[in-house]
Amino acid sequence: LHCRRASRKFIYYIATMVALNTSSTLMMMTALLIVCSSFATTTAFQTISSPTTLRRSSLLNMAAKAKGGGPRFDKTTEKWIVTDPATQGPEAGYDLIGSLYRAGPVPFIQRVINAEQYEQAVLKYMAAEGCDRKEAQGNMDAYFENPQDWAYQKMQEQNGAAKKDYANANMDPKQIALSTIWAGVVFWFAYYLVTGLAEGKWGKAEGTDLLHGNLWTLPF
């Protein structure tokens, strides 16, 4: 609630600044993009935990599946390990950019800041569901991006709905092109805002304010 109030104050303040600035349209669009994206990526910095809504397979069932060639749980290290690197290791899946295209920035950031936990979640899902690495990664990326939607989809599948192909989600060439263009636009606006702050476009370049603007002296 406090975050929402602060964001409303921020938007109001930016709007006031915009009214006095010759580059009002660009400034407003940039501010809105940043505020919206901040809410979308907040969960990316939470500690990774495996979905609790997976099919309720016991550790014995996971172990049984693992005997068939899936990852297995090492009691000594208390970690999931691959039994066949060629089919279960990272090279059998997709890279960071693949996560970014399929599910957005949240799983991408998770893979950067929590790489080991991400890997463990993927291996555990492979063992529980008996699937390949790409399917496991697609499901983990979807879970980290929106746990509620992912859990709802799984419940629907258990009730007879068609299985969603998370491994190839948003990988249509047209969708890739649109995602690339959108990412470029967001990057350009962010760059424009930061350089504008550094040059004092959005406020007086006086005192010791960081970036020489008024970003860090907002009235809240």
Side-chain angles (χ1 to χ4, degrees), residues 170-182:
N170 300 317
M171 293 307 291
D172 178 84
K174 291 183 179 179
Q175 183 62 46
I176 291 177
L178 290 174
S179 298
T180 302
I181 294 172
W182 173 243

Side-chain angles (χ1 to χ4, degrees), residues 173-195:
K174 291 183 179 179
Q175 183 62 46
I176 291 177
L178 290 174
S179 298
T180 302
I181 294 172
W182 173 243
V185 170
V186 172
F187 177 81
W188 186 87
F189 275 117
Y191 174 81
Y192 184 78
L193 175 62
V194 172
T195 55

